[in-house]
Amino acid sequence: MEFVITDSSQDSAQTGLPAVAGNACRVPEPGAVEAEFAGVDGTLVQRRWVEAAVAVRFEQLAPVAAFPVVPGRRWAPGWWWSATTGRLVAYRSGVMRTQLMLLDRDPAVVALACRPVELVWREESKTAGHAPQLMARLQDGSGLLLDGGGRSGPSARLTARARVVAAAAEAAGWSYRLAGPPDPVLVANVRWLAGYRHPRYAAGPWTPALLEVFG
């Protein structure tokens, strides 16, 4: 498991996640976590997560829930053209767009999707769930689930949910990342370079030769 956010407390040193006051979210057994996702016909499907993680190509599915436009909010949904997949990928907010852009340049990533699956589990007498912001398919066939904590870091609720998602991901042979705010210089450089990855800037018959020279 990989976590970007760190904390100086003893609890954080053991888990890799920021400390949460109290037992805000008990981590269930991996077999007790369900995956909810949209089928090819748009209807919601629910099955055991450890089975779905192996059998379902989440990167090919639509978001498990629509990204609404909320008047007065500073975030809005949009589309990111992915050089990795050669298609548009929906995102909900600027935080998601930035993390999507960074994943799009990772050579280990072969496919991307925004919120294609929600993990569902029981917490005492109620049902809880969390849909990670991004999902990436990696070269080795495993998957990566990612959440961005925003400029002020993750909320206590997200941190608690992240513990469950991280354990479920590990049980399925996947990984989970709770990403903190990225380096603004890195973001600015990647954003500038990302525009030139669009096919309209391809060098035509010279492309293979250029890739070989600059490889």
Side-chain angles (χ1 to χ4, degrees):
M1 291 180 289
E2 181 181 3
F3 303 99
V4 176
I5 295 177
T6 58
D7 184 84
S8 59
S9 69
Q10 182 179 0
D11 180 63
S12 175
Q14 295 175 353
T15 63
L17 285 167
V20 180
N23 295 323
C25 183
R26 183 179 64 83
V27 177
E29 293 295 325
V33 179
E34 299 280 315
E36 189 172 86
F37 51 93
V40 292
D41 60 353
T43 59
L44 290 180
V45 179
Q46 188 167 321
R47 60 187 297 188
R48 293 180 67 231
W49 158 250
V50 290
E51 298 174 354
V54 176
V56 180
R57 308 300 295 184
F58 292 111
E59 64 271 27
Q60 299 175 2
L61 302 180
V64 68
F67 298 146
V69 176
V70 181
R73 299 297 296 268
R74 297 186 63 181
W75 50 261
W79 296 90
W80 173 263
W81 189 89
S82 169
T84 299
T85 62
R87 64 181 180 86
L88 292 170
V89 181
Y91 63 82
R92 183 188 181 195
S93 64
V95 171
M96 292 177 68
R97 180 186 60 203
T98 298
Q99 295 297 336
L100 182 59
M101 177 183 69
L102 295 176
L103 285 177
D104 197 24
R105 67 182 289 272
D106 189 335
V109 174
V110 298
L112 292 160
C114 278
R115 295 184 67 185
V117 60
E118 180 177 8
L119 303 188
V120 182
W121 62 92
R122 296 288 299 177
E123 286 183 2
E124 298 179 352
S125 60
K126 61 180 182 180
T127 300
H130 178 68
Q133 293 177 353
L134 296 171
M135 176 265 167
R137 181 70 62 184
L138 306 182
Q139 286 183 341
D140 62 4
S142 66
L144 165 69
L145 298 174
L146 182 145
D147 281 307
R151 296 179 180 178
S152 59
S155 64
R157 182 180 184 277
L158 175 57
T159 300
R161 295 290 188 263
R163 297 173 185 275
V164 178
V165 176
E170 183 179 36
W174 285 35
S175 55
Y176 174 75
R177 185 184 305 166
L178 182 53
D183 178 8
V185 175
L186 172 66
V187 172
N189 285 329
V190 173
R191 181 179 294 115
W192 177 69
L193 292 171
Y196 294 99
R197 301 181 71 191
H198 195 279
R200 63 175 171 265
Y201 292 107
W206 293 100
T207 299
L210 289 172
L211 289 174
E212 181 180 356
V213 169
F214 288 98

